C-alpha cells in the first residue's frame, strides 16, 4: 500500500513539474510575441522613439549579445540595442516582423531556455503593394531573473540555400 501512495505522489509531482514547464513555455512564447508586437508598433501612438527603444530594451538582459554572422561584429549590451532601435525606428516603419516556427526547450533548472525561431522581415512596396520577405533562422537564449524572461543572446543560424 505504501508503494502505491509513493508512486501516486511521484506521479503528481511529475505532473505538477510538467504543468509548470508548460506554463513557463507559454510565458516565454508570450514575451516573444509581445516583443514582436512592440517592434511592429509605430511611433504614431504618441510614444516617442526614446520611450519605444526603452520598452524594447526591457526584453533584453543588460549584457545581451546579438550575433548576425556573415563577418559582422556582434552587437553587445542592452544600451547599444536601445540606441540602435531609437535610430532605426523611423526607417523600420516600412517593415513588419513575423515570427514563425517558434520552438522552446527549457534548460534544466527552470531559469534558462533555448528558442529556435524563424524571423521574417516583410516589406510592402508602396507603388505595387507587393510584399517581399527576407526570412532567417535564429537561436535565442533567454534567462529568467526577478521573475521576468529576458533575451541574453541571439545568434543567426546559417542555413544551406
Amino acid at each position: 500500500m505504501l508503494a502505491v501512495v509513493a508512486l501516486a505522489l511521484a506521479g503528481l509531482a511529475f505532473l505538477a513539474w510538467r504543468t509548470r514547464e508548460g506554463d513557463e513555455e507559454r510565458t516565454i512564447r508570450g514575451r516573444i510575441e509581445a516583443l514582436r508586437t512592440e517592434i511592429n508598433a509605430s511611433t504614431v501612438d504618441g510614444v516617442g522613439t526614446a520611450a519605444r527603444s526603452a520598452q524594447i530594451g526591457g526584453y533584453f538582459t543588460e549584457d545581451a549579445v546579438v550575433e548576425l554572422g556573415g563577418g559582422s561584429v556582434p552587437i553587445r549590451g542592452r544600451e547599444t540595442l536601445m540606441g540602435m532601435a531609437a535610430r532605426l525606428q523611423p526607417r523600420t516603419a516600412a517593415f513588419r516582423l513575423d515570427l514563425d516556427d517558434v520552438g522552446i526547450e527549457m534548460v534544466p533548472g527552470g531559469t534558462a531556455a533555448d528558442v529556435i525561431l524563424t524571423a521574417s522581415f516583410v516589406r510592402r512596396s508602396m507603388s505595387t503593394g507587393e510584399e517581399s520577405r527576407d526570412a532567417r533562422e535564429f537561436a535565442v537564449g533567454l534567462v529568467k531573473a526577478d521573475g521576468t524572461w529576458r533575451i541574453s543572446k541571439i545568434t543567426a543560424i546559417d542555413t544551406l540555400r
Side-chain angles (χ1 to χ4, degrees):
M1 183 65 164
L2 186 57
V4 172
V5 172
L7 187 58
L9 288 176
L12 286 174
F14 176 76
L15 186 59
W17 175 78
R18 289 295 291 170
T19 302
R20 186 184 66 76
E21 181 179 15
D23 288 345
E24 293 293 356
E25 289 177 7
R26 279 189 290 281
T27 301
I28 291 168
R29 197 173 300 279
R31 285 286 287 174
I32 290 170
E33 179 59 25
L35 175 59
R36 184 199 66 79
T37 300
E38 195 69 52
I39 289 170
N40 286 337
S42 67
T43 57
V44 298
D45 61 3
V47 178
T49 56
R52 173 84 57 222
S53 68
Q55 290 171 327
I56 291 170
Y59 290 90
F60 294 88
T61 62
E62 234 179 272
D63 59 348
V65 176
V66 177
E67 296 177 344
L68 299 174
S72 66
V73 176
I75 302 164
R76 298 188 184 281
R78 178 189 312 155
E79 293 295 323
T80 302
L81 290 167
M82 289 170 50
M84 291 175 73
R87 286 189 305 276
L88 293 174
Q89 193 165 359
R91 290 181 228 142
T92 59
F95 292 89
R96 181 183 79 237
L97 173 65
D98 290 341
L99 300 175
D100 300 302
D101 305 324
V102 178
I104 300 168
E105 184 176 323
M106 299 301 298
V107 174
T111 60
D114 294 321
V115 176
I116 302 290
L117 57 80
T118 301
S120 298
F121 302 94
V122 182
R123 181 179 180 137
R124 181 180 299 260
S125 169
M126 298 301 264
S127 59
T128 65
E130 289 185 28
E131 288 186 347
S132 63
R133 180 178 295 264
D134 179 26
R136 299 237 9 223
E137 193 171 13
F138 291 92
V140 181
L142 290 100
V143 294
K144 185 176 185 180
D146 300 324
T148 303
W149 286 99
R150 289 191 173 83
I151 298 169
S152 61
K153 187 168 187 178
I154 299 175
T155 305
I157 299 172
D158 290 329
T159 56
L160 298 175
R161 295 184 186 229

